[in-house]
Amino acid sequence: MLSFISLTACCQSGVVMTSSFRIDRFKFPAEHRTALLEAVAATHEVLRTQSGFLRDMIAERTHADGRIEVQTMVEWDATADIPAIKARVKEAQRARAFDTAAALASWGAEADLGWWSEVQTPS
């Protein structure tokens, strides 16, 4: 359930830094909003304690058909050990007996996950 965007940013001093972004998007029936947001909150609680964490965001919108869409983003600095972070999240999910795939299926959630890269547009 992890997807990352790598983004190269240049700060004012001219030093180039690379950040990674985990971005997940879920669309699901409104009656499952609380359960999904509780699961997201539990995961973000773990993520916020990891080395390299910079910031996170959770956004939502409601579609005309009443379905809810939630998008999550977590930004990591270049020092983040992504494989170790993934392992810690899985460990925390096991500890609370949470199965991501089973939960998403039971909520009728569509997940948009994957690896993304920054697009350079013409000036």
Side-chain angles (χ1 to χ4, degrees), residues 29 56 121:
D56 64 343
T121 58

Side-chain angles (χ1 to χ4, degrees), residues 8-62:
T8 302
C10 190
C11 64
Q12 289 180 352
S13 67
V15 175
V16 176
M17 301 180 335
T18 301
S19 293
S20 294
F21 295 85
R22 172 187 165 153
I23 299 175
D24 295 334
R25 191 170 69 190
F26 310 95
K27 188 174 179 183
F28 52 93
E31 64 264 21
H32 300 295
R33 179 182 180 275
T34 298
L36 187 132
L37 289 176
E38 286 173 352
V40 167
T43 298
H44 281 234
E45 190 175 310
V46 173
L47 297 174
R48 289 181 189 119
T49 66
Q50 303 307 304
S51 178
F53 173 87
L54 296 175
R55 65 186 173 119
D56 64 343
M57 177 213 53
I58 302 168
E60 73 174 357
R61 66 180 174 163
T62 303

